[in-house]
Amino acid sequence: MEYLTVRETAKKWNLSIRMVQQFCIAGRIPGAQKFGNSWAIPADAEKPRDPRSVRKQAKPPASNLLDSAGLMPLMNTPFQPGTCMAAVRAMEAGPQRDIAWAEYYYFTGQPEKAVRAAAAYLTGPDMGAQLSACLIYAYANLSPPDPARPLCA
């Protein structure tokens, strides 16, 4: 069996030397053997798929749904002080913007509006929106009552 060096394999596969070394270390090249500090790679070995491209393909198609990484979209959006409302308005219509409005209402001292905005997302298929809505809904309902409004009439 004929073997190639990491450098030769990198040139053959149009990859960096470091990437070929990483494939060898990870055991992604069948038949690759380490001799001291060098790798011997079978000349007929097939180029492994780049794990970064596999992850990209594994992602679901882009949608307007929030995922667990997108919880509390307004808190996770950079904006200049004083431009919060503009940041919300700039978001694409859908759950992300609706939850951002609920956040805006909560953080501007409007818990009743925050509860109403979040309530629509307390149930539904979008887990990110549901979790965000639950957080906003719970915190908005914990807000201290308005001292000018009596608790009981």
Side-chain angles (χ1 to χ4, degrees), residues 7 18 46 56 64 94 122 137-138 152:
R7 184 179 303 279
R18 183 71 182 138
E46 291 194 27
K56 287 179 187 171
N64 199 13
L122 291 173
Y137 193 87
C152 300

Side-chain angles (χ1 to χ4, degrees), residues 126-140:
D126 185 344
M127 188 56 67
Q130 190 176 38
L131 291 172
S132 295
C134 285
L135 289 168
I136 295 165
Y137 193 87
Y139 283 116

